[in-house]
Each structure stands twice: as C-alpha cells, then as structure tokens.
Amino acid sequence: MKFKKWNIAFLGLVFAVLIVVACTNYFVDPFGYFTFQSGDYDDIDFPVDTSYMQRELKAEHVLHFSDNYDAYLLGGSKAGTYRPAKLQELDGYRYYNMFEIGGSFYEYYLETQFLLEHANPKKIILSISGGEVRVEERDQSDVTYQIPAIMSGESKFLEMFDFISKDIGESLDRLKQRKERESREKYYEMPSTGERNMELYYERVETDWENYTTRYVLEEFDQHMRTLFKAPRRAPYIDEGLEYLRLIKELCDENGVELLVIVSPAFIGDLSIFESIYYWEFLVDISMITDYWDFSGYNDIVLNPYNFYNEGHFYYETADLVIDTINGTDSYPGFGVYVTRENVMEHVEQRKADYERLQQEYLETGTIQLQGMEDASCLLKN
C-alpha cells in the first residue's frame, strides 16, 4: 500500500514538473514561437534577435495579413536590407520582406508553394545571395533555421509540443537576456513589413566607421583572398539549387505570378565561399531558366568595404541602388547587368576576365586594391 502511494506521489510530482516546464515555456516563450502565432508584430513586447524562430513569425504573418500585400521578397540574410517601401517604387505593389537567416533554394521553393496556397501574390522577387549553393537544408535542430510546420507539411501539434517541452533553462536564460537588453530595445524592434532593423549598424557608422569596417568587414580579408584566388572550390549543391529554381519558375508561370530574380551584391571577401568556374556555369544555367539581374561580381560597389556592415551584408543604400538600377532611376557604372540567354556568355566571360585581372594583381602583390571611404563608390557618403 505504501509502495502504491509512493508511486502515485512520484507520478504526481513528475506531472507537476511537466506542468511547470510547459507553463514557463509558454508564458516566457524563449523562442517567440507562441507569441508569433498571431503573426502580429504589435503583439511582440520583447527584443527579438536571430536566435528566435523568425521563420514562424513570417509564415504566420502571411497567414493572418496577406490581404495587406501584393508581392513578396524571398531570400537569405542579404535580402534583409531591401525595404518594402523602396521596392514599391518598382511597380506600385505592397511588399512584404520574407528574408531569413541562412536561406536555401529548397526553402525558397517551400515558401513559393506556401505563398501560392495561402496568399494571392502578383509578384515574387527572389534574391540569390550566392551562399545557397553550399547547403540544401539548414540544421533543423536550431530554431534559427527551423522550417515552420505550416510550411514544411510536418505536424503542427508535434511542433507545438516540442516548443512547450523545451529545456526550462532556455526560458530562464532568455528572461535574463531580455532584462539586460531593455536599454537597447530599439535595436531589436522589427519593422512590420519584414525587413531588417539596421539602426545599430548606422550608429556604429556615426561613431567610428573606419575601425568598425576594419573589424567586421575586413578582419578575414587576407584569408579569403587566398581562398578566392588560390583555392576556389565547387559548392556542393549547385545542381539542387538549379532544380529548385526551375520548380519555382514553373509554379510562378502556372499561377500567373511574375518572378523577378536578383543575384544580390556580395563583398569580394564573401565571394570566396562560392566563386569558381562552377559558379560561373551556375550563372549560365540560371539564364536558361529565367532572365535575372546580376549585381555580384567585381564592380566598384562590391570592392568597397564601406558599402557593407559585415563581410556578407550590405547597407540600405546598396539595396536602394539595386532597386533604382532595375527601375532605371539611378545607376553606377558596372553595377548591375540584366542577364538573358542571349547575353549570358558575354556576361560570364567579362566576370571571368575581371576575376583573372584581380587574381594576377593578387599573385603579384599579395593583395588587391579596394575602393575607399572617399571614393564615389562609397554609397553612404555620396
């Protein structure tokens, strides 16, 4: 009898602990998952960074607020600086920026399916960063990269159970972090149209731009130049990326949705992670699927580190020039080429020639000459 009572007491204790864990995870919501269910940015009363499940927020926002939008921008973290208000200048459409940290062509395909099923897009802009050819699907155990169940087709119930049963230590750590960030909350406020909040980076420009750029953009420059010019490598998922792009194009055509593909700018240091003869072939193959705008390569804008707030990401001004170039309202020599089947070989041959010119300079001098803060290519000052 005592043994039975002890078992009941033990099970009751276990149940109570589970209830405490579930309630703590639900009300503290360490990854933002439960707060994000409404898709309403006004419901977010805590600072959100990339360790939260922002993919869930964006998917739920589309589900609940798709009537507010005509068009959507898909892409990895580089796409975060395309502001919907600026994108609207292209065609008058109301845009929502669905950028994600660590995007992949597989996810862009899932997002296209999701938008066609749950929204009524007139247009989809796909921003290609270049790094997508390195990975097909990110680590799904990391909530930063976790694909929402409503997008992947997995069980929503199991997803919710997973978040409500997370290690309670995550909740306690998050509470401490939120308290510490109260005085810096403005840096984590999320624009309701999905783009990245850049206030922190612009404040750094105002304080010590040169040292900031040296530390965050140029810190690994020498190492990446060695890779780019001495040991270029084939990214492993080029073929898969092309297949998903082909599927995206087919879905858009079948549903009467305009598709605009942009290869976004990448600082020359960032090019080292994917640039090779195989990537040039990839650029040719894209043109066999769809026309596109290419802003990568070796133009003055991407050779100027002051157009970037870290090695992989550019400021609003660079994104704005991309949009203005497409729109025909502004331009910079050599920045942005509209690529078709007819001109793609000429375009890639020019990229190859630019690469070989810089490679020769590197082999002779051990470095390459970059643009500077005072040059016309520095968009933040001109």
Side-chain angles (χ1 to χ4, degrees), residues 41 58 69 71-76 79-84 87 95-100 193-196:
Y41 285 80
K58 295 196 169 188
Y69 306 106
Y72 298 85
L73 178 114
L74 310 181
T81 44
Y82 291 110
R83 292 176 286 187
L87 287 168
Y95 279 86
Y96 181 62
N97 187 327
M98 292 187 66
F99 92 91
E100 58 203 26
T193 46
E195 69 269 32
R196 189 190 291 272

Coordinates of all heavy atoms in Angstrom, one line a residue, residues 41 58 69 71-76 79-84 87 95-100 193-196:
Y41 N 3.0 41.9 -35.4 CA 4.1 42.5 -34.8 C 3.8 43.3 -33.6 O 4.7 43.5 -32.7 CB 4.9 43.3 -35.9 CG 5.6 42.6 -36.9 CD1 5.0 42.0 -38.0 CD2 7.0 42.4 -36.9 CE1 5.6 41.3 -39.0 CE2 7.7 41.7 -37.8 CZ 7.0 41.1 -38.9 OH 7.7 40.4 -39.9
K58 N 7.1 35.0 -39.7 CA 6.8 35.5 -41.1 C 5.8 34.6 -41.8 O 4.9 35.2 -42.5 CB 8.1 35.5 -41.9 CG 9.1 36.6 -41.3 CD 10.2 37.0 -42.2 CE 10.9 38.2 -41.7 NZ 11.9 38.8 -42.6
Y69 N -0.8 42.7 -48.7 CA 0.3 42.7 -49.6 C -0.1 42.2 -51.0 O -1.0 41.4 -51.1 CB 1.4 41.7 -49.0 CG 1.8 42.2 -47.6 CD1 1.4 41.4 -46.5 CD2 2.6 43.3 -47.4 CE1 1.7 41.8 -45.2 CE2 2.9 43.7 -46.1 CZ 2.5 42.9 -45.0 OH 2.8 43.3 -43.7
A71 N 2.9 41.6 -53.1 CA 4.1 40.9 -53.6 C 5.0 40.6 -52.4 O 4.9 41.2 -51.3 CB 4.8 41.9 -54.6
Y72 N 5.9 39.7 -52.7 CA 6.8 39.2 -51.6 C 8.2 39.1 -52.1 O 8.5 38.7 -53.2 CB 6.3 37.8 -51.1 CG 4.9 37.9 -50.5 CD1 3.8 37.8 -51.4 CD2 4.7 38.1 -49.2 CE1 2.5 37.9 -50.8 CE2 3.4 38.1 -48.6 CZ 2.3 38.0 -49.5 OH 1.0 38.1 -49.0
L73 N 9.1 39.4 -51.2 CA 10.6 39.2 -51.4 C 11.1 38.0 -50.6 O 10.9 37.9 -49.4 CB 11.4 40.4 -51.1 CG 12.9 40.2 -51.3 CD1 13.3 41.2 -52.4 CD2 13.7 40.5 -50.1
L74 N 11.7 37.0 -51.3 CA 12.3 35.8 -50.7 C 13.8 35.9 -50.8 O 14.3 36.5 -51.8 CB 11.8 34.6 -51.4 CG 10.3 34.3 -51.6 CD1 10.1 33.0 -52.3 CD2 9.5 34.4 -50.3
G75 N 14.5 35.5 -49.8 CA 15.9 35.5 -49.8 C 16.5 35.2 -48.5 O 15.8 35.1 -47.5
G76 N 17.8 35.0 -48.5 CA 18.6 34.8 -47.3 C 18.8 36.2 -46.6 O 18.2 37.2 -46.9
A79 N 19.1 39.7 -48.2 CA 17.8 40.3 -48.6 C 17.2 41.2 -47.6 O 16.2 41.9 -47.9 CB 16.8 39.2 -49.1
G80 N 17.7 41.1 -46.3 CA 17.1 41.8 -45.2 C 17.1 43.3 -45.4 O 16.2 44.0 -44.8
T81 N 18.0 43.9 -46.2 CA 18.1 45.3 -46.3 C 17.3 45.9 -47.5 O 17.3 47.1 -47.8 CB 19.5 45.8 -46.5 OG1 20.2 44.9 -47.3 CG2 20.2 45.7 -45.1
Y82 N 16.5 45.0 -48.2 CA 15.6 45.5 -49.2 C 14.3 46.0 -48.5 O 13.5 45.2 -48.0 CB 15.2 44.5 -50.3 CG 16.4 44.1 -51.2 CD1 17.0 42.8 -51.1 CD2 16.9 45.0 -52.1 CE1 18.1 42.5 -51.9 CE2 17.9 44.6 -53.0 CZ 18.5 43.4 -52.8 OH 19.6 43.0 -53.7
R83 N 14.1 47.3 -48.5 CA 12.9 47.9 -47.8 C 11.7 47.9 -48.7 O 11.7 48.4 -49.8 CB 13.3 49.3 -47.3 CG 14.3 49.3 -46.2 CD 14.7 50.7 -45.8 NE 15.5 51.4 -46.8 CZ 16.1 52.6 -46.7 NH1 15.9 53.2 -45.5 NH2 16.8 53.1 -47.6
P84 N 10.6 47.3 -48.2 CA 9.4 47.2 -49.0 C 8.9 48.6 -49.5 O 8.4 48.7 -50.6 CB 8.4 46.6 -48.0 CG 9.2 45.7 -47.2 CD 10.5 46.5 -47.0
L87 N 10.9 49.0 -52.5 CA 10.5 48.0 -53.6 C 9.3 48.5 -54.3 O 9.1 48.2 -55.5 CB 10.3 46.7 -52.9 CG 11.6 45.9 -52.5 CD1 11.2 44.7 -51.6 CD2 12.4 45.5 -53.7
Y95 N 4.8 45.4 -50.7 CA 5.7 44.2 -50.5 C 5.8 43.8 -49.0 O 5.7 44.6 -48.1 CB 7.1 44.6 -51.0 CG 7.3 44.4 -52.5 CD1 6.9 45.5 -53.3 CD2 7.7 43.2 -53.0 CE1 7.1 45.4 -54.7 CE2 7.9 43.1 -54.4 CZ 7.6 44.2 -55.2 OH 7.7 44.1 -56.6
Y96 N 6.0 42.5 -48.8 CA 6.4 42.0 -47.5 C 7.8 41.3 -47.7 O 7.9 40.5 -48.6 CB 5.4 41.0 -46.9 CG 5.8 40.5 -45.6 CD1 5.9 41.3 -44.5 CD2 6.0 39.1 -45.4 CE1 6.3 40.8 -43.2 CE2 6.3 38.6 -44.2 CZ 6.5 39.5 -43.1 OH 6.8 39.0 -41.8
N97 N 8.7 41.6 -46.9 CA 10.1 41.0 -47.0 C 10.1 39.8 -46.1 O 10.1 39.8 -44.9 CB 11.1 42.0 -46.5 CG 12.6 41.5 -46.8 OD1 12.8 40.3 -46.7 ND2 13.4 42.5 -47.1
M98 N 10.3 38.6 -46.7 CA 10.3 37.3 -46.0 C 11.7 36.8 -45.8 O 11.9 35.6 -45.7 CB 9.5 36.3 -46.8 CG 8.0 36.6 -46.7 SD 7.0 35.2 -47.4 CE 7.3 33.9 -46.3
F99 N 12.7 37.7 -45.9 CA 14.1 37.2 -45.7 C 14.3 36.3 -44.5 O 13.6 36.5 -43.5 CB 15.1 38.4 -45.7 CG 15.4 38.9 -44.3 CD1 16.5 38.4 -43.6 CD2 14.6 39.9 -43.7 CE1 16.8 38.9 -42.3 CE2 14.9 40.3 -42.4 CZ 16.0 39.8 -41.7
E100 N 15.2 35.5 -44.6 CA 15.5 34.5 -43.5 C 17.0 34.4 -43.3 O 17.8 34.6 -44.3 CB 14.9 33.2 -43.7 CG 15.4 32.6 -45.0 CD 14.5 31.5 -45.6 OE1 13.2 31.6 -45.4 OE2 14.9 30.7 -46.4
T193 N 6.9 45.2 -41.9 CA 6.9 44.7 -43.3 C 8.1 43.8 -43.6 O 8.4 43.5 -44.7 CB 7.0 45.9 -44.3 OG1 8.0 46.9 -43.8 CG2 5.6 46.6 -44.4
G194 N 8.8 43.4 -42.5 CA 9.7 42.2 -42.6 C 11.2 42.5 -42.8 O 12.0 41.6 -42.6
E195 N 11.5 43.7 -43.1 CA 13.0 44.0 -43.4 C 13.8 44.0 -42.1 O 13.2 44.0 -41.0 CB 13.1 45.3 -44.2 CG 12.8 46.6 -43.4 CD 11.4 47.0 -43.6 OE1 10.5 46.1 -43.7 OE2 11.1 48.2 -43.5
R196 N 15.1 44.1 -42.2 CA 16.0 44.1 -41.1 C 16.1 45.5 -40.5 O 16.1 46.5 -41.2 CB 17.4 43.7 -41.5 CG 18.4 43.5 -40.4 CD 19.8 43.3 -41.0 NE 19.9 42.0 -41.7 CZ 20.3 40.9 -41.2 NH1 20.5 40.8 -39.9 NH2 20.4 39.8 -41.9

